[in-house]
Amino acid sequence: VTTNANGFSEIIDPRIHGGIVTPGDVPALTNELEFWRSADRQKTAEVCRARASEYSLERNTRATIAVLEEARAA
């Protein structure tokens, strides 16, 4: 479970790879935690590993360099 105030929330599908809540929203956090307590951990682990494999260190480095080059050119 993560918040919608960081980049991680952009790469997960809610209730598939994890949960997304607004910072400080305790009822939403409680709801997500209850959902994940009963989730199929094996299936969740498989889909999370598959999603994580899409985000290699090389991909992250290329994207970071692209952002820095764009900022420098501006």
Side-chain angles (χ1 to χ4, degrees), residues 16-65:
I16 295 173
H17 305 105
I20 303 170
V21 298
T22 300
D25 188 342
V26 175
L29 177 59
T30 301
N31 188 35
E32 284 300 316
L33 293 175
E34 287 299 318
F35 174 82
W36 289 106
R37 280 191 186 109
S38 62
D40 181 339
R41 293 177 192 271
Q42 178 78 20
K43 182 176 181 181
T44 300
E46 290 171 11
V47 297
C48 285
R49 277 192 292 275
R51 177 55 55 95
S53 72
E54 298 173 26
Y55 294 90
S56 67
L57 181 58
E58 292 81 13
R59 178 180 176 175
N60 184 29
T61 302
R62 282 193 306 272
T64 301
I65 290 170

Side-chain angles (χ1 to χ4, degrees), residues 1-14 17 19-21 23 51 55 59-60:
V1 177
T2 189
T3 71
N4 57 5
N6 66 63
F8 185 67
S9 66
E10 296 174 9
I11 67 167
I12 66 172
D13 294 318
H17 305 105
I20 303 170
V21 298
R51 177 55 55 95
Y55 294 90
R59 178 180 176 175
N60 184 29

